[in-house]
Amino acid sequence: MSDQHSFETLAIHAGQEADPLTGAVVPPIYQVSTYKQDGVGGLRGGYEYSRSANPTRTALEENLAALEGGVRGLAFASGLAAEDTLLRTLLAPGDHVVIPNDAYGGTFRLFAKVVSRWGVEWSVADTSSPDAVRAAIRPETKAVWVETPSNPLLGITDIAAVAGVAHEAGAKLVVDNTFASPYLQQPLSLGADVVVHSTTKYMGGHSDVVGGALITADAGLGEELAYHQNAMGAVAGPFDSWLTLRGIKTLAVRMDRHTANAERVVELLVSHPKVTQVYYPGLPEHPLHEVAAKQMRAFGGMVSFRVAGGEEAAVEVCNRAKLFTLGESLGGVESLIEHPGRMTHASVAGSQLEVPADLVRASVGIESADDLLADLTQALG
């Protein structure tokens, strides 16, 4: 499938040619652990053992690479499995990483509690400021890690500018593109070296599969990542790969609806007397709104807001919501609501990444916008 096709076409067709045996238009689920070899060392199609490669996973990986404009895509059992494999590929004891001051709690935990134990150092910077990133870089810095939009404060990083800062220092730029999805933003085209996804979220899109991905435009780095993927083994299984591919087919139309609904939700929140602040890159008053408009197709389905009355009031909003399901994760067709301080970001409590106690995060689904507004109105009281 040529990468000259439009995104919507690639989402449905890239890596998913009709099955040569039966003509099935959906790639089969190759639920198999091993493969018959054509003589010793004679691998049919390059397959020998499904940790190393599996045809269903290959279809997903080719699709991911096409959607992000990369040359190599790799699928993992979770987003954190992808992150761990990436860090162990890029880093060695004594190396240093710059991480954002607004990041997913699990990513922070991986750096602070796991990777640091084998001698990798990290420091925090406000990645919305290229100058702050430059100031945080050390001679031993090997990677700069950003999320844009970030989780949960919807911060924006100028990918091209920070890529320039990282590359001047000889470091790689890693961009977690989970909140945007490749439909809304393609970091590799802006200078990123590696894109990270929790495919559990918008890529899968239906809250029925857990997965992760790495995509790079550097063929050599892609080979290194593939080596470590096989050596470490936290790969996506065939059924999970198939479910993710199924979700990706509708990514474009879902993201359009997520965004449209989120914009309606933001309109309600900015005028509500119980809401003290709204975080959404589509708002003109967002400090990096113009950067977001430059590097994103649209502003996505994630909205965070602060509630008058403090932490207990924010918790009560989450508890009173009915159509917005109280739960962690995001990016599914159904709307979700959560209290980051007590849920997804509890692991950053007491750190430089601690989130406001009165913060609520909403993943706006694709239900009727009017129904969602009515639910939020009653939840806010």
Side-chain angles (χ1 to χ4, degrees), residues 171-195:
K172 302 288 189 186
L173 177 63
V174 178
V175 176
D176 185 333
N177 201 30
T178 297
F179 266 30
S181 86
Y183 178 65
L184 299 185
Q185 178 174 268
Q186 295 183 321
L188 296 178
S189 69
L190 299 169
D193 297 287
V194 185
V195 171

Side-chain angles (χ1 to χ4, degrees), residues 35-161:
Y35 305 82
K36 180 181 179 181
Q37 297 190 14
D38 297 327
V40 175
L43 308 184
R44 192 178 306 177
Y47 296 101
E48 58 179 330
Y49 185 61
S50 277
R51 171 173 41 78
S52 303
N54 173 281
T56 314
R57 194 174 88 226
T58 296
L60 172 60
E61 292 177 337
E62 291 179 357
N63 185 269
L64 292 167
L67 296 186
E68 284 286 7
V71 299
R72 190 67 180 265
L74 299 162
F76 295 83
S78 69
L80 283 168
E83 292 184 11
D84 187 43
T85 302
L86 173 60
L87 294 175
R88 293 176 190 274
T89 303
L90 295 181
L91 306 174
D95 289 342
H96 172 257
V97 185
V98 177
I99 67 172
N101 63 349
D102 179 25
Y104 168 52
T107 297
F108 174 77
R109 184 177 57 230
L110 180 62
F111 279 103
K113 303 296 185 182
V114 180
V115 178
S116 61
R117 293 178 64 186
W118 54 283
V120 170
E121 297 185 357
W122 54 272
S123 57
V124 174
D126 177 1
T127 60
S128 68
S129 166
D131 288 339
V133 174
R134 183 177 287 108
I137 288 177
R138 307 174 184 172
E140 62 270 22
T141 301
K142 294 297 189 293
V144 174
W145 190 287
V146 304
E147 295 179 12
T148 184
S150 65
N151 182 6
L153 296 177
L154 283 302
I156 296 296
T157 295
D158 186 327
I159 296 171

